């Protein structure tokens, strides 16, 4: 497959790209990798949800986000319409034919050598918290070929789950999907022990495609965020969801039939909560 060829080319030529970009001060793009997530989020079924995520690597940090959410950012940016009203005010809207793709994963993760920083929204606020890079990896003397790449095995217990990772020492980037970083090579595949969650590298940009490109993550996804803790961020999101009616009312929305819809939504949310199977079982 073409992505196998691209990954192999990247493995051979990545060193030259890294050396070329070391002197540049900004977030030039030194690597872009696409991971496929296969996840069992609901204990009631064995069905696996699938979504693609992007890892964009710069000189000193890497950005991880849903490919759908990034596409949504692009659509909104290109479809935005600004209308000046007769009273001097401005109305912001989108073109009638604009279709903004939807995803439940609107977070952004920034990885550095020192820490991992998570960003997500609660109501109208952007919140963030930091965690140290994983340091309790257990490296194993076991090799496996994944998508033509020679990988080494590593294990870790993280957030209540036992994970098995396969990383490529020949790709000297200490990054990976989600918050998984700190290994001596790019993580190619990582799966939890129960196989409820699996991230696998499925595509990468070739060296020629990387040249002259920059990180294209919108700064609004990670600037101006309020620092908090993981527990408080989750609570803020839960509170925002539970107070949906109040949020709508604050925007001047009249809720009539909507009240019943919100009650049904809350009932469904409580039922789903019983069978939720999150990636992180603990904080």
């Amino acid at each position: 497959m073409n992505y196998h060829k691209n990954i192999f080319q990247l493995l051979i030529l990545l060193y030259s790209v890294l050396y070329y970009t070391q002197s540049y001060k900004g977030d030039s793009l030194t690597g872009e990798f696409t991971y496929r997530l296969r996840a069992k989020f609901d204990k009631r079924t064995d069905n696996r949800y699938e979504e693609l995520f992007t890892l964009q690597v710069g000189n000193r940090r890497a950005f991880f986000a849903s490919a759908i959410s990034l596409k949504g950012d692009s659509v909104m940016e290109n479809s935005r319409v600004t209308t000046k009203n007769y009273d001097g005010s401005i109305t912001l809207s989108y073109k009638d034919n604009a279709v903004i793709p939807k995803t439940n994963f609107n977070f952004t993760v920034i990885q550095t050598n020192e820490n991992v920083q998570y960003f997500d929204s609660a109501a109208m606020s952007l919140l963030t918290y930091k965690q140290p890079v994983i340091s309790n990896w257990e490296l194993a003397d076991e090799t496996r070929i994944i998508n033509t790449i020679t990988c080494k095995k590593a294990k870790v217990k993280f957030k209540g789950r036992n994970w098995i990772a396969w990383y490529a020492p020949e790709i000297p980037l200490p990054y990976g999907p989600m918050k998984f970083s700190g290994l001596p090579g790019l993580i190619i595949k990582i799966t939890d022990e129960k196989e409820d969650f699996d991230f696998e590298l499925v595509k990468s940009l070739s060296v020629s495609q990387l040249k002259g490109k920059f990180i294209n993550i919108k700064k609004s996804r990670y600037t101006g965020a309020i620092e908090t803790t993981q527990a408080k961020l989750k609570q803020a999101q839960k509170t925002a969801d539970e107070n949906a009616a109040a949020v709508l009312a604050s925007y001047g929305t009249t809720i009539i039939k909507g009240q019943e819809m919100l009650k049904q939504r809350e009932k469904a949310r409580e039922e789903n909560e019983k069978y939720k199977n999150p990636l992180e079982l603990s904080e």
Side-chain angles (χ1 to χ4, degrees):
M1 296 179 70
N2 288 336
Y3 68 78
H4 289 164
K5 182 178 179 181
N6 287 341
I7 292 175
F8 182 73
Q9 291 174 338
L10 180 64
L11 181 143
I12 299 298
L13 299 173
L14 185 59
Y15 277 113
S16 61
V17 177
L18 290 174
Y19 286 131
Y20 174 82
T21 56
Q22 276 180 350
S23 61
Y24 188 77
K25 299 296 184 182
D27 277 321
S28 56
L29 190 64
T30 63
E32 181 167 316
F33 307 91
T34 300
Y35 290 88
R36 180 189 63 222
L37 167 66
R38 298 184 73 249
K40 178 182 176 180
F41 288 113
D42 193 327
K43 297 177 182 178
R44 293 169 290 188
T45 176
D46 285 329
N47 294 336
R48 294 299 193 272
Y49 175 85
E50 292 193 12
E51 186 161 334
L52 296 179
F53 289 78
T54 299
L55 180 70
Q56 295 187 23
V57 180
N59 296 323
R60 300 174 302 277
R61 56 184 178 174
F63 295 76
F64 183 80
S66 160
I68 296 177
S69 71
L70 295 182
K71 184 178 180 180
D73 288 348
S74 178
V75 171
M76 287 189 289
E77 184 69 24
N78 296 325
S79 304
R80 186 176 291 115
V81 176
T82 302
T83 304
K84 293 184 178 180
N85 303 316
Y86 70 92
D87 60 356
S89 62
I90 295 176
T91 300
L92 298 177
S93 59
Y94 296 100
K95 296 177 182 177
D96 292 339
N97 62 345
V99 179
I100 301 172
K102 301 295 183 183
T103 176
N104 291 323
F105 306 105
N106 293 302
F107 63 82
T108 304
V109 175
I110 298 180
Q111 303 174 9
T112 69
N113 289 330
E114 293 76 35
N115 58 57
V116 173
Q117 190 164 5
Y118 182 94
F119 299 82
D120 206 353
S121 298
M124 299 299 290
S125 299
L126 180 64
L127 305 179
T128 183
Y129 62 85
K130 290 182 180 179
Q131 295 177 335
V133 172
I134 297 173
S135 60
N136 59 325
W137 290 104
E138 296 180 19
L139 305 186
D141 187 20
E142 188 174 338
T143 302
R144 178 177 173 186
I145 305 296
I146 301 176
N147 295 339
T148 74
I149 301 174
T150 301
C151 301
K152 300 284 287 184
K153 186 178 182 180
K155 298 180 180 180
V156 71
K157 185 170 184 178
F158 181 72
K159 303 292 185 179
R161 291 185 184 272
N162 295 316
W163 295 86
I164 297 175
W166 296 92
Y167 66 97
E170 294 152 314
I171 305 180
L173 297 171
Y175 306 121
M178 285 299 295
K179 301 174 182 177
F180 297 105
S181 63
L183 282 170
L186 182 73
I187 294 175
I188 305 302
K189 183 180 177 69
I190 185 165
T191 310
D192 76 296
E193 194 173 51
K194 294 182 178 180
E195 298 185 346
D196 286 348
F197 295 89
D198 175 82
F199 288 96
E200 183 172 348
L201 180 67
V202 294
K203 183 180 178 182
S204 69
L205 291 187
S206 65
V207 171
S208 61
Q209 291 173 308
L210 290 171
K211 189 174 180 180
K213 291 196 173 185
F214 299 87
I215 300 286
N216 63 3
I217 306 291
K218 287 178 59 177
K219 289 187 176 181
S220 60
R221 295 179 70 103
Y222 60 91
T223 57
I226 301 170
E227 290 198 24
T228 185
T229 64
Q230 183 174 7
K232 290 181 179 179
L233 189 151
K234 287 182 178 180
Q235 183 58 50
Q237 290 178 325
K238 181 180 179 181
T239 300
D241 190 53
E242 292 173 346
N243 294 338
V247 172
L248 290 173
S250 70
Y251 284 94
T253 303
T254 301
I255 303 173
I256 302 174
K257 293 182 179 180
Q259 289 285 1
E260 183 59 32
M261 292 174 61
L262 288 169
K263 289 180 181 178
Q264 293 176 1
R265 177 186 172 189
E266 176 63 17
K267 184 177 180 180
R269 189 191 68 79
E270 291 177 354
E271 184 67 16
N272 291 336
E273 192 73 19
K274 299 177 185 177
Y275 301 99
K276 188 167 68 173
N277 187 35
L279 188 147
E280 296 182 355
L281 297 175
S282 62
E283 295 174 7

